[in-house]
Amino acid sequence: MLRTVTGFIDEQTAGRILEHEHVMVGFVEDAKLTPADYDSDEVVGMIGPYMLRLKEAGCSTFVDCAPEYLGRDPYLLKSLSLQTGMQIITNTGYYKKPYLPSFVHLEDERELARRWIREASHGIGDSGVYPGFIKIALNDGKAIDDVQQKILRAAIRTSLETGLTIQCHTIGDDVAAHADRIMEEVSFDRERFIWVHAQSSIDKTILQRLAAKGMWISIDSILPGTYDEHVNLLKELVELGISDRILLSQDTGWYNVGQERGGKLNPYHLLFTDFFPYAQQRGLDSGWLEACVTRHAFQAMSVRK
């Protein structure tokens, strides 16, 4: 089952799932973004038509990946879901420096995990909305620094306690491999972990090795101008034998806090109306493309007991 901002849904209701997208993002350092920095009604009014167009394209479920302090607003997301009929999933978790509150640097992994477990058990504030997954990030580079390691370990604890999947912003093979070693230490099930932005991989044998352990491989930058690049990448991943671990999304949108009327908004429907037909013409199997946004995405995002 998937946990949306309005309750649990089954695979049939979930339908097509965009597993990594954004409604609103506010890149305000030191966790200083507050609801006073934007007009919720304006955000819903601006994003609503894009959601409706996405529904017309045959997508039913939208996973919003802005974590707390970076644009997560459960009240706004619930309002948007009720107004458009789109199933929306939100999260618990934190991003990375410099968008972290000061207490993250002071608390240990158990204390951070308790915060997220509380949201998963009792809801986010008094919104009545429960998170459907854990969203975290790792720093770029060759290794994961101490703060982001602590966040990763807190996410593992939270997942084990709540059954929520971890979506992890992960750039590059070295950081992904380091995360895998940390999960190996505690025998964490890689099927609960999504490598977000796996298109950043250079050494595809790393993707192959981690997918073989069960890790989900999220290719989530499929935007106009990149279609040939992504068709070639997906063909390579199929040839590597990891087609059953692939997720597809766009990582697009979004209302940008601080810009007039949210700045330049991008549509959500093009993966289905533009990329899928083009990819099929280039030789990718239509049934497999659909599986990546239905069966695979449902399995990856399901709450597990």
Side-chain angles (χ1 to χ4, degrees), residues 69-98:
Y69 306 113
L70 204 72
R72 184 193 72 171
D73 186 327
Y75 305 92
L76 187 159
L77 294 177
K78 187 173 183 179
S79 177
L80 185 61
S81 177
L82 292 173
Q83 288 191 33
T84 64
M86 180 65 69
Q87 304 286 351
I88 298 177
I89 300 174
T90 190
N91 63 81
T92 192
Y94 305 139
Y95 194 52
K96 63 178 180 176
K97 296 177 290 186

PDB file of all heavy atoms in Angstrom, residues 69-98:
ATOM      1  N   TYR A  69      11.694  21.896   5.774  1.00  0.00           N
ATOM      2  CA  TYR A  69      12.644  23.005   5.683  1.00  0.00           C
ATOM      3  C   TYR A  69      13.076  23.306   4.253  1.00  0.00           C
ATOM      4  O   TYR A  69      13.864  24.224   4.027  1.00  0.00           O
ATOM      5  CB  TYR A  69      13.901  22.775   6.546  1.00  0.00           C
ATOM      6  CG  TYR A  69      13.583  22.472   7.984  1.00  0.00           C
ATOM      7  CD1 TYR A  69      13.866  21.215   8.524  1.00  0.00           C
ATOM      8  CD2 TYR A  69      12.972  23.422   8.798  1.00  0.00           C
ATOM      9  CE1 TYR A  69      13.558  20.924   9.845  1.00  0.00           C
ATOM     10  CE2 TYR A  69      12.653  23.130  10.121  1.00  0.00           C
ATOM     11  CZ  TYR A  69      12.954  21.878  10.640  1.00  0.00           C
ATOM     12  OH  TYR A  69      12.641  21.592  11.947  1.00  0.00           O
ATOM     13  N   LEU A  70      12.557  22.586   3.272  1.00  0.00           N
ATOM     14  CA  LEU A  70      12.896  22.878   1.874  1.00  0.00           C
ATOM     15  C   LEU A  70      11.633  23.031   1.018  1.00  0.00           C
ATOM     16  O   LEU A  70      11.717  23.057  -0.199  1.00  0.00           O
ATOM     17  CB  LEU A  70      13.800  21.781   1.299  1.00  0.00           C
ATOM     18  CG  LEU A  70      14.679  22.208   0.122  1.00  0.00           C
ATOM     19  CD1 LEU A  70      15.804  23.115   0.592  1.00  0.00           C
ATOM     20  CD2 LEU A  70      15.256  21.002  -0.608  1.00  0.00           C
ATOM     21  N   GLY A  71      10.472  23.090   1.674  1.00  0.00           N
ATOM     22  CA  GLY A  71       9.260  23.314   0.908  1.00  0.00           C
ATOM     23  C   GLY A  71       8.127  22.350   1.188  1.00  0.00           C
ATOM     24  O   GLY A  71       7.055  22.466   0.589  1.00  0.00           O
ATOM     25  N   ARG A  72       8.325  21.398   2.082  1.00  0.00           N
ATOM     26  CA  ARG A  72       7.235  20.487   2.430  1.00  0.00           C
ATOM     27  C   ARG A  72       6.150  21.251   3.187  1.00  0.00           C
ATOM     28  O   ARG A  72       6.424  21.911   4.181  1.00  0.00           O
ATOM     29  CB  ARG A  72       7.747  19.349   3.310  1.00  0.00           C
ATOM     30  CG  ARG A  72       6.671  18.306   3.616  1.00  0.00           C
ATOM     31  CD  ARG A  72       7.082  17.366   4.725  1.00  0.00           C
ATOM     32  NE  ARG A  72       7.085  18.008   6.041  1.00  0.00           N
ATOM     33  CZ  ARG A  72       7.251  17.348   7.192  1.00  0.00           C
ATOM     34  NH1 ARG A  72       7.451  16.042   7.180  1.00  0.00           N
ATOM     35  NH2 ARG A  72       7.245  17.999   8.347  1.00  0.00           N
ATOM     36  N   ASP A  73       4.921  21.135   2.716  1.00  0.00           N
ATOM     37  CA  ASP A  73       3.786  21.770   3.384  1.00  0.00           C
ATOM     38  C   ASP A  73       2.610  20.805   3.282  1.00  0.00           C
ATOM     39  O   ASP A  73       1.926  20.749   2.258  1.00  0.00           O
ATOM     40  CB  ASP A  73       3.449  23.107   2.727  1.00  0.00           C
ATOM     41  CG  ASP A  73       2.355  23.874   3.475  1.00  0.00           C
ATOM     42  OD1 ASP A  73       1.466  23.219   4.046  1.00  0.00           O
ATOM     43  OD2 ASP A  73       2.397  25.117   3.467  1.00  0.00           O
ATOM     44  N   PRO A  74       2.332  20.023   4.321  1.00  0.00           N
ATOM     45  CA  PRO A  74       1.282  19.003   4.240  1.00  0.00           C
ATOM     46  C   PRO A  74      -0.113  19.588   4.030  1.00  0.00           C
ATOM     47  O   PRO A  74      -0.951  18.966   3.371  1.00  0.00           O
ATOM     48  CB  PRO A  74       1.385  18.274   5.578  1.00  0.00           C
ATOM     49  CG  PRO A  74       2.036  19.261   6.496  1.00  0.00           C
ATOM     50  CD  PRO A  74       2.988  20.034   5.635  1.00  0.00           C
ATOM     51  N   TYR A  75      -0.352  20.784   4.569  1.00  0.00           N
ATOM     52  CA  TYR A  75      -1.657  21.419   4.404  1.00  0.00           C
ATOM     53  C   TYR A  75      -1.862  21.789   2.940  1.00  0.00           C
ATOM     54  O   TYR A  75      -2.932  21.557   2.362  1.00  0.00           O
ATOM     55  CB  TYR A  75      -1.755  22.662   5.285  1.00  0.00           C
ATOM     56  CG  TYR A  75      -1.480  22.416   6.744  1.00  0.00           C
ATOM     57  CD1 TYR A  75      -0.194  22.552   7.264  1.00  0.00           C
ATOM     58  CD2 TYR A  75      -2.510  22.033   7.611  1.00  0.00           C
ATOM     59  CE1 TYR A  75       0.057  22.326   8.611  1.00  0.00           C
ATOM     60  CE2 TYR A  75      -2.271  21.813   8.961  1.00  0.00           C
ATOM     61  CZ  TYR A  75      -0.972  21.957   9.452  1.00  0.00           C
ATOM     62  OH  TYR A  75      -0.721  21.719  10.781  1.00  0.00           O
ATOM     63  N   LEU A  76      -0.841  22.366   2.339  1.00  0.00           N
ATOM     64  CA  LEU A  76      -0.901  22.760   0.929  1.00  0.00           C
ATOM     65  C   LEU A  76      -1.088  21.530   0.041  1.00  0.00           C
ATOM     66  O   LEU A  76      -1.934  21.538  -0.874  1.00  0.00           O
ATOM     67  CB  LEU A  76       0.386  23.514   0.580  1.00  0.00           C
ATOM     68  CG  LEU A  76       0.536  24.174  -0.777  1.00  0.00           C
ATOM     69  CD1 LEU A  76       1.620  25.256  -0.700  1.00  0.00           C
ATOM     70  CD2 LEU A  76       0.923  23.195  -1.880  1.00  0.00           C
ATOM     71  N   LEU A  77      -0.337  20.479   0.302  1.00  0.00           N
ATOM     72  CA  LEU A  77      -0.411  19.281  -0.531  1.00  0.00           C
ATOM     73  C   LEU A  77      -1.779  18.613  -0.420  1.00  0.00           C
ATOM     74  O   LEU A  77      -2.326  18.126  -1.416  1.00  0.00           O
ATOM     75  CB  LEU A  77       0.698  18.304  -0.146  1.00  0.00           C
ATOM     76  CG  LEU A  77       2.123  18.758  -0.426  1.00  0.00           C
ATOM     77  CD1 LEU A  77       3.127  17.723   0.072  1.00  0.00           C
ATOM     78  CD2 LEU A  77       2.341  19.036  -1.907  1.00  0.00           C
ATOM     79  N   LYS A  78      -2.336  18.595   0.780  1.00  0.00           N
ATOM     80  CA  LYS A  78      -3.663  18.002   0.941  1.00  0.00           C
ATOM     81  C   LYS A  78      -4.711  18.814   0.196  1.00  0.00           C
ATOM     82  O   LYS A  78      -5.596  18.261  -0.471  1.00  0.00           O
ATOM     83  CB  LYS A  78      -4.020  17.907   2.423  1.00  0.00           C
ATOM     84  CG  LYS A  78      -5.315  17.159   2.692  1.00  0.00           C
ATOM     85  CD  LYS A  78      -5.529  16.943   4.184  1.00  0.00           C
ATOM     86  CE  LYS A  78      -6.785  16.120   4.458  1.00  0.00           C
ATOM     87  NZ  LYS A  78      -6.971  15.904   5.933  1.00  0.00           N
ATOM     88  N   SER A  79      -4.617  20.131   0.278  1.00  0.00           N
ATOM     89  CA  SER A  79      -5.543  21.002  -0.449  1.00  0.00           C
ATOM     90  C   SER A  79      -5.423  20.776  -1.948  1.00  0.00           C
ATOM     91  O   SER A  79      -6.433  20.672  -2.663  1.00  0.00           O
ATOM     92  CB  SER A  79      -5.261  22.463  -0.108  1.00  0.00           C
ATOM     93  OG  SER A  79      -6.088  23.333  -0.850  1.00  0.00           O
ATOM     94  N   LEU A  80      -4.192  20.676  -2.445  1.00  0.00           N
ATOM     95  CA  LEU A  80      -3.963  20.451  -3.868  1.00  0.00           C
ATOM     96  C   LEU A  80      -4.531  19.105  -4.302  1.00  0.00           C
ATOM     97  O   LEU A  80      -5.140  18.982  -5.378  1.00  0.00           O
ATOM     98  CB  LEU A  80      -2.460  20.516  -4.152  1.00  0.00           C
ATOM     99  CG  LEU A  80      -2.002  20.426  -5.603  1.00  0.00           C
ATOM    100  CD1 LEU A  80      -2.562  21.579  -6.424  1.00  0.00           C
ATOM    101  CD2 LEU A  80      -0.473  20.421  -5.672  1.00  0.00           C
ATOM    102  N   SER A  81      -4.352  18.085  -3.481  1.00  0.00           N
ATOM    103  CA  SER A  81      -4.875  16.760  -3.797  1.00  0.00           C
ATOM    104  C   SER A  81      -6.398  16.767  -3.866  1.00  0.00           C
ATOM    105  O   SER A  81      -7.001  16.212  -4.793  1.00  0.00           O
ATOM    106  CB  SER A  81      -4.393  15.753  -2.755  1.00  0.00           C
ATOM    107  OG  SER A  81      -4.942  14.479  -2.990  1.00  0.00           O
ATOM    108  N   LEU A  82      -7.028  17.404  -2.888  1.00  0.00           N
ATOM    109  CA  LEU A  82      -8.493  17.429  -2.848  1.00  0.00           C
ATOM    110  C   LEU A  82      -9.062  18.233  -4.006  1.00  0.00           C
ATOM    111  O   LEU A  82     -10.121  17.889  -4.547  1.00  0.00           O
ATOM    112  CB  LEU A  82      -8.964  18.006  -1.509  1.00  0.00           C
ATOM    113  CG  LEU A  82      -8.674  17.136  -0.269  1.00  0.00           C
ATOM    114  CD1 LEU A  82      -9.027  17.887   1.007  1.00  0.00           C
ATOM    115  CD2 LEU A  82      -9.442  15.818  -0.345  1.00  0.00           C
ATOM    116  N   GLN A  83      -8.380  19.292  -4.406  1.00  0.00           N
ATOM    117  CA  GLN A  83      -8.893  20.136  -5.488  1.00  0.00           C
ATOM    118  C   GLN A  83      -8.709  19.506  -6.863  1.00  0.00           C
ATOM    119  O   GLN A  83      -9.511  19.747  -7.770  1.00  0.00           O
ATOM    120  CB  GLN A  83      -8.213  21.504  -5.439  1.00  0.00           C
ATOM    121  CG  GLN A  83      -8.667  22.373  -4.276  1.00  0.00           C
ATOM    122  CD  GLN A  83      -8.178  23.801  -4.398  1.00  0.00           C
ATOM    123  OE1 GLN A  83      -8.045  24.347  -5.499  1.00  0.00           O
ATOM    124  NE2 GLN A  83      -7.910  24.438  -3.268  1.00  0.00           N
ATOM    125  N   THR A  84      -7.652  18.706  -7.045  1.00  0.00           N
ATOM    126  CA  THR A  84      -7.345  18.163  -8.366  1.00  0.00           C
ATOM    127  C   THR A  84      -7.697  16.690  -8.524  1.00  0.00           C
ATOM    128  O   THR A  84      -7.785  16.190  -9.648  1.00  0.00           O
ATOM    129  CB  THR A  84      -5.844  18.330  -8.690  1.00  0.00           C
ATOM    130  OG1 THR A  84      -5.078  17.546  -7.753  1.00  0.00           O
ATOM    131  CG2 THR A  84      -5.431  19.791  -8.603  1.00  0.00           C
ATOM    132  N   GLY A  85      -7.852  15.988  -7.403  1.00  0.00           N
ATOM    133  CA  GLY A  85      -8.077  14.546  -7.467  1.00  0.00           C
ATOM    134  C   GLY A  85      -6.811  13.736  -7.654  1.00  0.00           C
ATOM    135  O   GLY A  85      -6.864  12.512  -7.766  1.00  0.00           O
ATOM    136  N   MET A  86      -5.648  14.397  -7.682  1.00  0.00           N
ATOM    137  CA  MET A  86      -4.379  13.691  -7.800  1.00  0.00           C
ATOM    138  C   MET A  86      -3.999  13.089  -6.449  1.00  0.00           C
ATOM    139  O   MET A  86      -4.117  13.737  -5.407  1.00  0.00           O
ATOM    140  CB  MET A  86      -3.280  14.644  -8.262  1.00  0.00           C
ATOM    141  CG  MET A  86      -1.902  14.015  -8.413  1.00  0.00           C
ATOM    142  SD  MET A  86      -1.805  12.770  -9.717  1.00  0.00           S
ATOM    143  CE  MET A  86      -1.987  13.813 -11.180  1.00  0.00           C
ATOM    144  N   GLN A  87      -3.558  11.834  -6.445  1.00  0.00           N
ATOM    145  CA  GLN A  87      -3.018  11.226  -5.232  1.00  0.00           C
ATOM    146  C   GLN A  87      -1.612  11.771  -5.019  1.00  0.00           C
ATOM    147  O   GLN A  87      -0.760  11.645  -5.903  1.00  0.00           O
ATOM    148  CB  GLN A  87      -2.967   9.701  -5.377  1.00  0.00           C
ATOM    149  CG  GLN A  87      -4.300   9.046  -5.724  1.00  0.00           C
ATOM    150  CD  GLN A  87      -5.256   9.000  -4.554  1.00  0.00           C
ATOM    151  OE1 GLN A  87      -4.893   9.310  -3.424  1.00  0.00           O
ATOM    152  NE2 GLN A  87      -6.488   8.614  -4.811  1.00  0.00           N
ATOM    153  N   ILE A  88      -1.361  12.387  -3.862  1.00  0.00           N
ATOM    154  CA  ILE A  88      -0.066  12.999  -3.584  1.00  0.00           C
ATOM    155  C   ILE A  88       0.547  12.353  -2.343  1.00  0.00           C
ATOM    156  O   ILE A  88      -0.145  12.135  -1.343  1.00  0.00           O
ATOM    157  CB  ILE A  88      -0.203  14.526  -3.392  1.00  0.00           C
ATOM    158  CG1 ILE A  88      -0.728  15.175  -4.685  1.00  0.00           C
ATOM    159  CG2 ILE A  88       1.133  15.142  -2.985  1.00  0.00           C
ATOM    160  CD1 ILE A  88      -0.978  16.668  -4.578  1.00  0.00           C
ATOM    161  N   ILE A  89       1.822  12.066  -2.420  1.00  0.00           N
ATOM    162  CA  ILE A  89       2.548  11.461  -1.305  1.00  0.00           C
ATOM    163  C   ILE A  89       3.607  12.453  -0.832  1.00  0.00           C
ATOM    164  O   ILE A  89       4.351  13.015  -1.641  1.00  0.00           O
ATOM    165  CB  ILE A  89       3.228  10.147  -1.740  1.00  0.00           C
ATOM    166  CG1 ILE A  89       2.164   9.152  -2.230  1.00  0.00           C
ATOM    167  CG2 ILE A  89       4.031   9.548  -0.585  1.00  0.00           C
ATOM    168  CD1 ILE A  89       2.739   7.877  -2.814  1.00  0.00           C
ATOM    169  N   THR A  90       3.664  12.673   0.492  1.00  0.00           N
ATOM    170  CA  THR A  90       4.692  13.529   1.077  1.00  0.00           C
ATOM    171  C   THR A  90       5.621  12.688   1.936  1.00  0.00           C
ATOM    172  O   THR A  90       5.517  11.464   1.969  1.00  0.00           O
ATOM    173  CB  THR A  90       4.079  14.698   1.863  1.00  0.00           C
ATOM    174  OG1 THR A  90       5.112  15.631   2.208  1.00  0.00           O
ATOM    175  CG2 THR A  90       3.379  14.227   3.129  1.00  0.00           C
ATOM    176  N   ASN A  91       6.542  13.331   2.644  1.00  0.00           N
ATOM    177  CA  ASN A  91       7.634  12.610   3.283  1.00  0.00           C
ATOM    178  C   ASN A  91       7.961  13.124   4.670  1.00  0.00           C
ATOM    179  O   ASN A  91       7.482  14.176   5.102  1.00  0.00           O
ATOM    180  CB  ASN A  91       8.876  12.712   2.395  1.00  0.00           C
ATOM    181  CG  ASN A  91       9.341  14.154   2.241  1.00  0.00           C
ATOM    182  OD1 ASN A  91      10.009  14.712   3.103  1.00  0.00           O
ATOM    183  ND2 ASN A  91       8.969  14.782   1.116  1.00  0.00           N
ATOM    184  N   THR A  92       8.813  12.386   5.351  1.00  0.00           N
ATOM    185  CA  THR A  92       9.528  12.863   6.518  1.00  0.00           C
ATOM    186  C   THR A  92      11.013  12.784   6.204  1.00  0.00           C
ATOM    187  O   THR A  92      11.413  12.081   5.270  1.00  0.00           O
ATOM    188  CB  THR A  92       9.175  12.037   7.772  1.00  0.00           C
ATOM    189  OG1 THR A  92       9.671  12.713   8.943  1.00  0.00           O
ATOM    190  CG2 THR A  92       9.742  10.622   7.711  1.00  0.00           C
ATOM    191  N   GLY A  93      11.848  13.512   6.962  1.00  0.00           N
ATOM    192  CA  GLY A  93      13.283  13.500   6.681  1.00  0.00           C
ATOM    193  C   GLY A  93      13.809  14.907   6.453  1.00  0.00           C
ATOM    194  O   GLY A  93      13.063  15.885   6.450  1.00  0.00           O
ATOM    195  N   TYR A  94      15.124  15.025   6.260  1.00  0.00           N
ATOM    196  CA  TYR A  94      15.792  16.307   6.026  1.00  0.00           C
ATOM    197  C   TYR A  94      16.713  16.194   4.817  1.00  0.00           C
ATOM    198  O   TYR A  94      17.102  15.100   4.408  1.00  0.00           O
ATOM    199  CB  TYR A  94      16.611  16.737   7.246  1.00  0.00           C
ATOM    200  CG  TYR A  94      15.821  16.802   8.534  1.00  0.00           C
ATOM    201  CD1 TYR A  94      16.378  16.342   9.722  1.00  0.00           C
ATOM    202  CD2 TYR A  94      14.530  17.321   8.567  1.00  0.00           C
ATOM    203  CE1 TYR A  94      15.673  16.393  10.915  1.00  0.00           C
ATOM    204  CE2 TYR A  94      13.812  17.373   9.748  1.00  0.00           C
ATOM    205  CZ  TYR A  94      14.379  16.905  10.924  1.00  0.00           C
ATOM    206  OH  TYR A  94      13.673  16.945  12.091  1.00  0.00           O
ATOM    207  N   TYR A  95      17.089  17.356   4.294  1.00  0.00           N
ATOM    208  CA  TYR A  95      17.925  17.422   3.094  1.00  0.00           C
ATOM    209  C   TYR A  95      19.412  17.440   3.504  1.00  0.00           C
ATOM    210  O   TYR A  95      19.871  16.526   4.179  1.00  0.00           O
ATOM    211  CB  TYR A  95      17.522  18.648   2.273  1.00  0.00           C
ATOM    212  CG  TYR A  95      18.038  18.694   0.864  1.00  0.00           C
ATOM    213  CD1 TYR A  95      17.866  17.629  -0.015  1.00  0.00           C
ATOM    214  CD2 TYR A  95      18.684  19.826   0.382  1.00  0.00           C
ATOM    215  CE1 TYR A  95      18.327  17.687  -1.322  1.00  0.00           C
ATOM    216  CE2 TYR A  95      19.136  19.900  -0.925  1.00  0.00           C
ATOM    217  CZ  TYR A  95      18.962  18.824  -1.775  1.00  0.00           C
ATOM    218  OH  TYR A  95      19.419  18.889  -3.065  1.00  0.00           O
ATOM    219  N   LYS A  96      20.151  18.411   3.126  1.00  0.00           N
ATOM    220  CA  LYS A  96      21.590  18.450   3.410  1.00  0.00           C
ATOM    221  C   LYS A  96      22.026  19.892   3.662  1.00  0.00           C
ATOM    222  O   LYS A  96      21.260  20.839   3.464  1.00  0.00           O
ATOM    223  CB  LYS A  96      22.380  17.847   2.253  1.00  0.00           C
ATOM    224  CG  LYS A  96      22.242  18.595   0.929  1.00  0.00           C
ATOM    225  CD  LYS A  96      23.101  17.972  -0.160  1.00  0.00           C
ATOM    226  CE  LYS A  96      22.953  18.724  -1.468  1.00  0.00           C
ATOM    227  NZ  LYS A  96      23.848  18.196  -2.523  1.00  0.00           N
ATOM    228  N   LYS A  97      23.263  20.037   4.132  1.00  0.00           N
ATOM    229  CA  LYS A  97      23.815  21.378   4.335  1.00  0.00           C
ATOM    230  C   LYS A  97      23.798  22.136   3.006  1.00  0.00           C
ATOM    231  O   LYS A  97      24.064  21.533   1.964  1.00  0.00           O
ATOM    232  CB  LYS A  97      25.253  21.264   4.863  1.00  0.00           C
ATOM    233  CG  LYS A  97      25.365  20.606   6.235  1.00  0.00           C
ATOM    234  CD  LYS A  97      26.806  20.457   6.675  1.00  0.00           C
ATOM    235  CE  LYS A  97      27.544  19.418   5.853  1.00  0.00           C
ATOM    236  NZ  LYS A  97      28.925  19.162   6.353  1.00  0.00           N
ATOM    237  N   PRO A  98      23.466  23.425   2.988  1.00  0.00           N
ATOM    238  CA  PRO A  98      23.245  24.322   4.127  1.00  0.00           C
ATOM    239  C   PRO A  98      21.771  24.518   4.473  1.00  0.00           C
ATOM    240  O   PRO A  98      21.396  25.588   4.972  1.00  0.00           O
ATOM    241  CB  PRO A  98      23.857  25.625   3.619  1.00  0.00           C
ATOM    242  CG  PRO A  98      23.492  25.633   2.161  1.00  0.00           C
ATOM    243  CD  PRO A  98      23.558  24.189   1.719  1.00  0.00           C
TER     244      PRO A  98
END
